[in-house]
Amino acid sequence: MIQSSELILNPDGSVYHLNLKPEHIAKDIIFVGDQNRVEKITQFFDSIEFSTQKREFKTQTGYYKGKKMTVMSTGIGPDNIDIVMNELDALVNIDLETRKPKENLTSLNIVRIGTSGSLQADIPCDSMVMSKYGLGLDNMLRSYLIDDISEKAIEDAFIAQTNWDLRKGRPYVITCSETLEKRIESDKIFKGFTGTAGGFYGPQGRVLRLEIQDADLNRKMDSFEFEGTKMTNLEMETAAIYGLGKLLGHNCLSLNAIIANRATGTFSEDPYKAVDALIAYALDKLAE
C-alpha cells in the first residue's frame, strides 16, 4: 500500500495538487502551460462538463466533435511536470481508496500544445513543430531510473558536439510516442529535437546581470545535429513529459506553434492566428 505521505489526497479524495478525481478526466488530454490558455482551447468544444482550478493547475473536460477530451494547464518547468504526470497517472492507475496500483493499467494520450521560437532558418514563423525527441537539460528526470528509455548515443553526441559541462548534469534524450506521431503528423509539420531547459534565463542562454557558464551554448545547441535531425526549439517541459510518460506507460507528444525565428530575427505578424491554427489542427487530429 502506498503511504499517505507519498500519495497525498485532499479531504474530498482528490489528488493533492490537481484537485481531480478519476471521473474528472478523459483518456485524451491536452497540456498547455498557461492557465489562461485552457479556455482558448475549450472554446472550440461542443460542451464542457467539468471545470476546476487549484494554483496554476486548471482543468476542463468536455466534448469536441463527440470525442471526450481534457485540457489542463501545467504551469512552467520540469518540476511542475513531475507533479502533473505523477498525479494524472495516479488517477487512472492507482486505486485511491485502497492506495494500491491497479492490475490493469491505463495508457493516456497526452499532447502538449505550446508556443516557441525556432532555432533554424528553414522553420519559419507561423509553422508547426512536432518534437520527435525531447532533449532534457534539466536533471529532474535523473531522479528516476531512465537508462532503459533514454537514447544514450544521442546524449553522447550532444555532450561531444556542445562540449557540455557534466557538472550541470548529464543531458537525457527521450523519443515521442510513435502512436501519437503517426496519428498527428502531416506534411504541414516540422520535426526535430526540442530542448527542455530547467529555467528561462541562464539555462536558456539569456544574460541580464549574471554571467553564464557557457556563453556559446545557444550557438552550439542551434547547430547540434544527429543523423540528419536538428534542434528545432527550446522550452521547459517536453523532455520531462516524454520521460515520465514513457516510464509510466502513457503516449506523449509535444506540438509548438512557431511565433519567432531566432536564426532570422523575425517574429510572427499574427501569433494568435498561428496558435489558433495549431489548436484546430491538433483537436481535429485527436477527434478522428
Side-chain angles (χ1 to χ4, degrees), residues 58 105 117 176 241-242 246 249 282:
K58 181 173 184 175
L105 301 179
C176 70
I241 294 170
Y242 283 11
K246 268 205 169 22

Side-chain angles (χ1 to χ4, degrees), residues 149-218:
I149 65 163
S150 61
E151 304 292 328
K152 298 179 186 61
I154 303 177
E155 294 167 5
D156 290 339
F158 179 80
I159 291 167
Q161 288 184 42
T162 62
N163 193 28
W164 182 262
D165 189 338
L166 288 174
R167 289 178 298 177
K168 296 191 293 187
R170 179 181 171 88
Y172 62 90
V173 177
I174 313 290
T175 60
C176 70
S177 159
E178 290 186 12
T179 300
L180 285 180
E181 179 185 8
K182 292 176 181 177
R183 184 172 167 182
I184 291 179
E185 69 182 353
S186 74
D187 57 7
K188 297 179 181 179
I189 299 283
F190 291 88
K191 297 181 183 180
F193 289 99
T194 291
T196 295
F200 183 76
Y201 289 96
Q204 293 191 38
R206 292 182 173 92
V207 177
L208 302 184
R209 292 203 313 115
L210 298 176
E211 292 185 22
I212 57 176
Q213 180 270 329
D214 186 350
D216 292 326
L217 181 59
N218 274 12

Side-chain angles (χ1 to χ4, degrees), residues 202-262:
Q204 293 191 38
R206 292 182 173 92
V207 177
L208 302 184
R209 292 203 313 115
L210 298 176
E211 292 185 22
I212 57 176
Q213 180 270 329
D214 186 350
D216 292 326
L217 181 59
N218 274 12
R219 177 187 56 78
K220 292 186 287 188
M221 286 199 298
D222 292 357
S223 60
F224 173 65
E225 183 174 341
F226 185 86
E227 296 182 351
T229 301
K230 298 180 180 180
M231 289 284 291
T232 53
N233 60 315
L234 187 63
E235 45 84 271
M236 296 177 63
E237 290 84 28
T238 293
I241 294 170
Y242 283 11
L244 288 173
K246 268 205 169 22
L247 289 172
L248 293 167
H250 303 298
N251 299 307
C252 298
L253 190 71
S254 183
L255 302 171
N256 272 278
I258 298 301
I259 61 172
N261 187 296
R262 199 166 76 191

Side-chain angles (χ1 to χ4, degrees), residues 21-261:
K21 295 180 180 180
E23 62 267 26
H24 293 155
I25 63 169
K27 289 186 178 180
D28 287 310
I29 299 175
I30 295 174
F31 281 176
V32 293
D34 183 357
Q35 58 199 16
N36 294 320
R37 198 174 285 167
V38 171
E39 290 179 350
K40 291 184 182 296
I41 296 178
T42 59
Q43 67 177 328
F44 297 104
F45 279 22
D46 307 319
S47 62
I48 297 173
E49 64 176 23
F50 175 79
S51 183
T52 192
Q53 181 170 358
K54 183 178 180 182
R55 304 185 189 186
E56 64 266 52
F57 307 112
K58 181 173 184 175
T59 303
Q60 290 190 332
T61 296
Y63 289 85
Y64 176 79
K65 294 185 177 180
K67 180 85 169 183
K68 188 176 182 180
M69 299 185 195
T70 293
V71 183
M72 174 183 297
S73 61
T74 64
I76 299 174
D79 50 342
N80 273 25
I81 296 303
D82 185 52
I83 291 170
V84 172
M85 292 294 292
N86 276 288
E87 292 193 4
L88 273 180
D89 181 75
L91 288 173
V92 294
N93 289 322
I94 296 174
D95 186 318
L96 299 185
E97 292 187 3
T98 66
R99 294 181 168 273
K100 293 180 179 180
K102 296 179 180 178
E103 290 186 10
N104 298 315
L105 301 179
T106 296
S107 291
L108 299 170
N109 295 315
I110 297 170
V111 175
R112 180 180 184 273
I113 295 179
T115 57
S116 191
S118 169
L119 305 181
Q120 305 297 333
D122 60 353
I123 301 178
C125 292
D126 305 324
S127 60
M128 295 182 283
V129 164
M130 175 185 291
S131 305
K132 174 71 175 178
Y133 300 92
L135 197 163
L137 312 174
D138 56 279
N139 285 327
M140 184 278 291
L141 204 67
R142 290 288 177 192
S143 295
Y144 299 93
L145 302 175
I146 67 170
D147 286 352
D148 291 340
I149 65 163
S150 61
E151 304 292 328
K152 298 179 186 61
I154 303 177
E155 294 167 5
D156 290 339
F158 179 80
I159 291 167
Q161 288 184 42
T162 62
N163 193 28
W164 182 262
D165 189 338
L166 288 174
R167 289 178 298 177
K168 296 191 293 187
R170 179 181 171 88
Y172 62 90
V173 177
I174 313 290
T175 60
C176 70
S177 159
E178 290 186 12
T179 300
L180 285 180
E181 179 185 8
K182 292 176 181 177
R183 184 172 167 182
I184 291 179
E185 69 182 353
S186 74
D187 57 7
K188 297 179 181 179
I189 299 283
F190 291 88
K191 297 181 183 180
F193 289 99
T194 291
T196 295
F200 183 76
Y201 289 96
Q204 293 191 38
R206 292 182 173 92
V207 177
L208 302 184
R209 292 203 313 115
L210 298 176
E211 292 185 22
I212 57 176
Q213 180 270 329
D214 186 350
D216 292 326
L217 181 59
N218 274 12
R219 177 187 56 78
K220 292 186 287 188
M221 286 199 298
D222 292 357
S223 60
F224 173 65
E225 183 174 341
F226 185 86
E227 296 182 351
T229 301
K230 298 180 180 180
M231 289 284 291
T232 53
N233 60 315
L234 187 63
E235 45 84 271
M236 296 177 63
E237 290 84 28
T238 293
I241 294 170
Y242 283 11
L244 288 173
K246 268 205 169 22
L247 289 172
L248 293 167
H250 303 298
N251 299 307
C252 298
L253 190 71
S254 183
L255 302 171
N256 272 278
I258 298 301
I259 61 172
N261 187 296

